[in-house]
């Protein structure tokens, strides 16, 4: 984050207790889930449940799981 110049606006929490997840997600402006190995994860859906738009890799499984939600952003692997 420091090298990219975004340290003041990005928080890397590391592991958090399950009961803290919803509170932390709700405090976010956006949820970035750039995994190319873990498709269809629940984390982007949890973000959407608290009104936070997720940014995910565009794959058929995630597109179906999130439907045509206007709050989800799909990116190709080359855009990461």
């Amino acid at each position: 984050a420091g090298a990219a110049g975004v340290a003041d606006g990005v928080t890397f929490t590391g592991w958090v207790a399950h009961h803290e997840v919803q509170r932390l997600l709700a405090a976010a402006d956006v949820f970035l889930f750039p995994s190319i190995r873990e498709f269809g994860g629940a984390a982007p859906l949890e973000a959407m449940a608290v009104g936070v738009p997720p940014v995910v890799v565009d794959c058929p499984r995630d597109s179906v799981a999130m439907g045509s939600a206007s709050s989800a952003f799909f990116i190709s692997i080359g855009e990461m």
Side-chain angles (χ1 to χ4, degrees):
V6 296
D8 291 340
V10 176
T11 301
F12 294 96
T13 62
W15 184 89
V16 296
H18 189 287
H19 68 275
E20 291 289 318
V21 172
Q22 189 173 11
R23 180 185 64 80
L24 290 170
L25 283 174
D29 294 316
V30 67
F31 179 77
L32 180 61
F33 192 74
S35 178
I36 58 173
R37 292 191 173 94
E38 183 183 349
F39 297 113
L45 296 175
E46 290 178 302
M48 290 174 69
V50 296
V52 176
V55 177
V56 298
V57 174
D58 192 10
C59 77
R61 240 181 310 182
D62 283 346
S63 298
V64 168
M66 288 181 246
S68 60
S70 61
S71 62
F73 297 94
F74 299 93
I75 58 171
S76 70
I77 292 173
E79 291 178 306
M80 289 191 286

